[in-house]
Amino acid sequence: VHLPIGFRTEINLEALAWLDAVASRLESGYLVTIDYGYPSHELYQTYRQNGTLMAYEGHQALENLYTRVGQRDLTAHVNFSALAAWGEKAGLTVAGFTDQAHFLMSLGILETLSDQDTPKAVKTRLNAKSLLLPGGMGEMFKVLIQYKGLEPASLSGLKFRPQRVSCRL
């Protein structure tokens, strides 16, 4: 990745070791990674020139990372292109990449929701809505599926709007 002078970003070096460990133990099967992040071409845009490191406390994003240290969760976005490339080097093949909303809809989440007006059914629909909404978790969370030791298959979770993730960093 060639970044402009002054560009700051996070790199998760532990992800490489983790991916190598998983790939070396996986003889035949799928690795499904779900997290928030982007492929390299989206992650390294100029509007993210200060990186993606954020602090969360009580489900709220906070700008100051260094107050209430130990009381807040610190997090950064995943580089899915890096996971795809490192996985390929470790013997994994990308089966597909999509966002959480399309992944869950492909698996039939909408068909599982009841149209009853009971408090439990309404609460379940509202919870599902938070997982699916564009601009929220449905769009921010991505799903990368890699496999090893299998014949390529059409996966139901990738039925709607699969995206491409380049293994090029």
Side-chain angles (χ1 to χ4, degrees):
V1 175
H2 299 285
L3 301 174
I5 293 174
F7 200 102
R8 183 178 69 200
T9 192
E10 306 80 26
I11 299 172
N12 185 345
L13 298 176
E14 290 297 318
L16 177 57
W18 172 81
L19 201 52
D20 279 338
V22 171
S24 69
R25 288 175 179 85
L26 182 66
E27 291 178 24
S28 175
Y30 292 95
L31 171 61
V32 180
T33 306
I34 304 173
D35 209 330
Y36 51 93
Y38 302 96
S40 292
H41 71 274
E42 291 181 50
L43 188 61
Y44 302 129
Q45 294 293 319
T46 54
Y47 56 88
R48 289 195 187 94
Q49 66 186 8
N50 292 321
T52 65
L53 188 61
M54 300 201 49
Y56 282 90
E57 185 177 355
H59 300 288
Q60 289 198 321
L62 305 163
E63 291 187 22
N64 190 332
L65 303 173
Y66 305 108
T67 59
R68 298 178 43 83
V69 173
Q71 307 287 320
R72 298 176 169 179
D73 293 325
L74 297 180
T75 187
H77 287 19
V78 170
N79 180 338
F80 282 99
S81 295
L83 289 183
W86 292 336
E88 194 173 79
K89 289 179 183 177
L92 299 171
T93 302
V94 173
F97 179 69
T98 191
D99 59 45
Q100 175 177 278
H102 288 91
F103 179 71
L104 293 175
M105 287 188 295
S106 294
L107 293 176
I109 190 171
L110 298 177
E111 292 78 11
T112 67
L113 300 174
S114 168
D115 59 357
Q116 296 178 347
D117 286 332
T118 65
K120 183 178 179 182
V122 170
K123 182 178 180 181
T124 300
R125 283 195 304 274
L126 288 173
N127 288 338
K129 183 179 176 181
S130 71
L131 298 174
L132 300 172
L133 279 178
M137 290 174 62
E139 191 174 69
M140 289 184 63
F141 276 75
K142 303 295 188 297
V143 180
L144 174 65
I145 303 175
Q146 297 164 289
Y147 66 94
K148 181 178 174 186
L150 300 170
E151 291 296 319
S154 178
L155 301 176
S156 58
L158 299 170
K159 182 170 49 176
F160 298 132
R161 196 174 165 233
Q163 301 171 4
R164 297 190 49 80
V165 63
S166 171
C167 292
R168 285 191 12 243
L169 298 176

